[in-house]
């Protein structure tokens, strides 16, 4: 496996190339329209999962747009790169990856929080119950398994190590290894890795089997926190403002619906959506859904959720001080929850939902 420095360099280089392609080829920003005159918004999904925009469309929360699924993504960074190159119109990724893509010159703007950590949903970094690893210093020279590099799991691991007092040279000795989520628990139990990043179904089933314990969680680092955002290209927003606004308001209402609706009803709705779209998917993941993972009503973006990762990149020498400011990377303009109220139509039957 290549060293982490080269891995990060490759990731940064990839983002820069995407930005150069975008600058060279450009994107008209003009969206297509459906037969009934609605603006088509292209997106990528995840196999066996329901995205908030898919929930919004099922609940009838959109007025002016029609979603077009173009396939499934392989990671958050890939999803937002596809937005930058104009292959899709909206995508979601960890905010650290969003900041990196902005730093590479991609004209994108975050419009809505997309995932995070709350009481029900989080990522745990697990070791075997009898592991000698109890502190960050015990991880020096060890391996951490995660689903992809350059995204949530890498950033959070390195942030925890730094917060626990490890130097940059010591952090570089910790090997971050890509392991498919379906194999991560097994890799931990077979001691191919020392720490496993687990969330959703993988966390729930692994903890049910026992024999592991959390070393730390993302929620323990920042508390309830939104970690990712939906992004759109600036030219798409400029030329399709009504469509962008409709996507945000409808998706925000879907997030709120998931936040306040009983879990069994949300899970049942997800099953209905997956059954209707006929993509030959395994629905086991849905049964382990615990919460929206977004702690803020309606997925309103907070400045610190982006600024944290700008500061992180500056501190690690990957971004020049002052090059980016969080307030320039996002907007809550279209989010009906941004003023702290919860508008009519947030509920499944159009009723007002009380704040919880």
């Amino acid at each position: 496996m290549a060293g982490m420095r080269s891995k990060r360099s490759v990731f940064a280089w990839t983002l820069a190339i995407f930005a150069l392609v975008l600058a060279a080829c450009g994107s008209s920003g003009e969206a297509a329209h459906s037969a009934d005159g609605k603006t088509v918004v292209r997106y990528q999904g995840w196999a066996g999962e329901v995205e908030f925009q898919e929930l919004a469309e099922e609940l009838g929360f959109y007025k002016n747009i029609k979603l077009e699924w173009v396939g499934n993504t392989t990671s958050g960074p890939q999803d937002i790169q596809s937005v930058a190159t104009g292959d899709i119109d909206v995508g979601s990724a960890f905010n650290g990856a969003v900041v990196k893509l902005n730093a590479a010159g991609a004209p994108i703007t975050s419009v809505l929080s997309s995932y995070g950590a709350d009481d029900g949903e989080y990522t745990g970094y697990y070791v075997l119950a009898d592991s000698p690893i109890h502190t960050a210093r015990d991880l020096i020279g060890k391996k951490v398994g995660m689903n992809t590099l350059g995204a949530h799991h890498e950033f959070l691991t390195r942030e925890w190590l730094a917060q626990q007092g490890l130097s940059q040279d010591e952090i570089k000795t910790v090997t971050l290894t890509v392991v498919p989520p379906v194999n991560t628990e097994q890799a931990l139990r077979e001691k191919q890795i020392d720490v496993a990043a687990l969330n959703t179904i993988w966390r729930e089933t692994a903890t049910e089997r026992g024999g592991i314990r959390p070393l730390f969680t993302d929620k323990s680092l920042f508390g309830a926190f939104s970690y990712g955002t939906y992004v759109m290209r600036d030219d798409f927003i400029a030329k399709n403002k009504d469509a962008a606004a409709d996507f945000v308001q409808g998706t925000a209402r879907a997030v709120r619906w998931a936040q306040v609706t009983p879990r069994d009803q949300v899970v049942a709705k997800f099953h209905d959506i997956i059954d209707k779209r006929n993509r030959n998917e395994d629905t086991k993941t849905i049964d382990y859904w615990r919460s929206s993972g977004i702690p803020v009503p309606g997925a309103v973006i907070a400045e610190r959720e982006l600024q944290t990762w700008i500061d992180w990149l500056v501190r690690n020498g990957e971004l020049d001080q002052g090059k980016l400011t969080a307030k320039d990377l996002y907007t809550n303009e279209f989010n009906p929850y941004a003023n702290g109220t919860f508008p009519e139509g947030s509920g499944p039957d159009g009723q007002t939902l009380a704040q919880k």
Side-chain angles (χ1 to χ4, degrees):
M1 176 180 172
M4 278 310 303
R5 179 174 294 181
S6 63
K7 288 283 189 181
R8 290 195 294 272
S9 297
V10 167
F11 183 72
W13 174 82
T14 301
L15 293 181
I17 291 298
F18 269 93
L20 288 172
V21 169
L22 180 63
C25 300
S27 171
S28 69
E30 294 288 354
H33 289 83
S34 62
D36 58 359
K38 293 183 177 180
T39 302
V40 174
V41 175
R42 300 166 299 165
Y43 76 100
Q44 297 179 122
W46 289 86
E49 298 182 19
V50 174
E51 300 302 293
F52 287 119
Q53 63 266 35
E54 295 170 321
L55 176 61
E57 189 164 64
E58 173 69 16
L59 293 173
F61 287 166
Y62 296 138
K63 300 176 182 178
N64 304 317
I65 68 171
K66 179 176 178 59
L67 297 180
E68 180 181 316
W69 174 71
V70 301
N72 288 328
T73 186
T74 57
S75 70
Q78 186 278 330
D79 203 30
I80 61 173
Q81 287 167 11
S82 295
V83 174
T85 54
D87 294 316
I88 57 176
D89 303 310
V90 63
S92 163
F94 170 63
N95 283 331
V98 171
V99 169
K100 275 198 168 187
L101 192 55
N102 271 285
I108 58 172
T109 295
S110 295
V111 296
L112 192 73
S113 289
S114 58
Y115 80 94
D118 60 14
D119 290 337
E121 185 50 59
Y122 57 91
T123 295
Y125 297 77
Y126 289 86
V127 297
L128 295 175
D130 60 356
S131 170
I133 298 172
H134 293 275
T135 69
R137 192 153 297 279
D138 296 332
L139 270 186
I140 293 175
K142 299 298 194 297
K143 289 184 179 180
V144 182
M146 56 192 61
N147 68 330
T148 189
L149 299 179
H152 184 117
H153 293 163
E154 176 182 346
F155 275 63
L156 269 292
T157 300
R158 292 167 62 195
E159 175 66 12
W160 182 73
L161 294 172
Q163 286 190 14
Q164 295 299 306
L166 268 64
S167 69
Q168 287 303 307
D169 286 340
E170 289 171 330
I171 291 173
K172 289 174 184 176
T173 72
V174 180
T175 300
L176 307 185
T177 304
V178 175
V179 185
V182 69
N183 301 125
T184 306
E185 178 191 351
Q186 180 181 0
L188 176 65
R189 295 189 187 277
E190 294 180 356
K191 299 184 179 180
Q192 297 170 355
I193 57 177
D194 302 289
V195 181
L198 301 170
N199 57 16
T200 63
I201 185 175
W202 317 113
R203 180 195 65 239
E204 295 296 304
T205 54
T207 54
E208 283 175 2
R209 281 185 277 271
I212 63 173
R213 57 179 168 81
L215 182 62
F216 69 99
T217 69
D218 53 10
K219 190 171 183 291
S220 71
L221 280 176
F222 298 105
F225 197 79
S226 292
Y227 283 106
T229 48
Y230 287 102
V231 303
M232 289 181 166
R233 290 187 317 282
D234 295 343
D235 62 347
F236 180 89
I237 295 173
K239 296 183 178 181
N240 308 278
K241 192 168 184 178
D242 288 345
D246 196 37
F247 175 87
V248 173
Q249 70 80 26
T251 308
R253 290 167 63 195
V255 170
R256 189 61 183 155
W257 184 87
Q259 289 172 329
V260 301
T261 300
R263 176 189 170 277
D264 61 338
Q265 294 180 33
V266 177
V267 170
K269 181 62 69 175
F270 285 170
H271 274 286
D272 288 345
I273 293 170
I274 290 177
D275 289 344
K276 287 179 181 178
R277 66 194 189 192
N278 293 319
R279 298 179 194 167
N280 193 29
E281 299 166 270
D282 187 339
T283 60
K284 285 192 301 183
T285 301
I286 296 302
D287 293 327
Y288 286 88
W289 187 89
R290 294 293 179 259
S291 71
S292 71
I294 299 176
V296 180
V300 176
I301 301 170
E303 185 171 318
R304 72 187 183 105
E305 294 159 359
L306 287 158
Q307 190 63 49
T308 293
W309 306 111
I310 293 174
D311 296 342
W312 189 95
L313 290 166
V314 170
R315 190 167 63 246
N316 284 275
E318 299 179 50
L319 183 66
D320 292 337
Q321 180 74 45
K323 182 174 181 178
L324 295 179
T325 302
K327 65 181 180 181
D328 296 327
L329 305 186
Y330 77 96
T331 179
N332 285 316
E333 176 186 0
F334 307 127
N335 194 322
Y337 298 88
N339 63 2
T341 62
F342 308 103
E344 292 287 340
S346 295
D349 301 311
Q351 76 272 23
T352 300
L353 294 175
Q355 183 176 1
K356 293 189 176 182

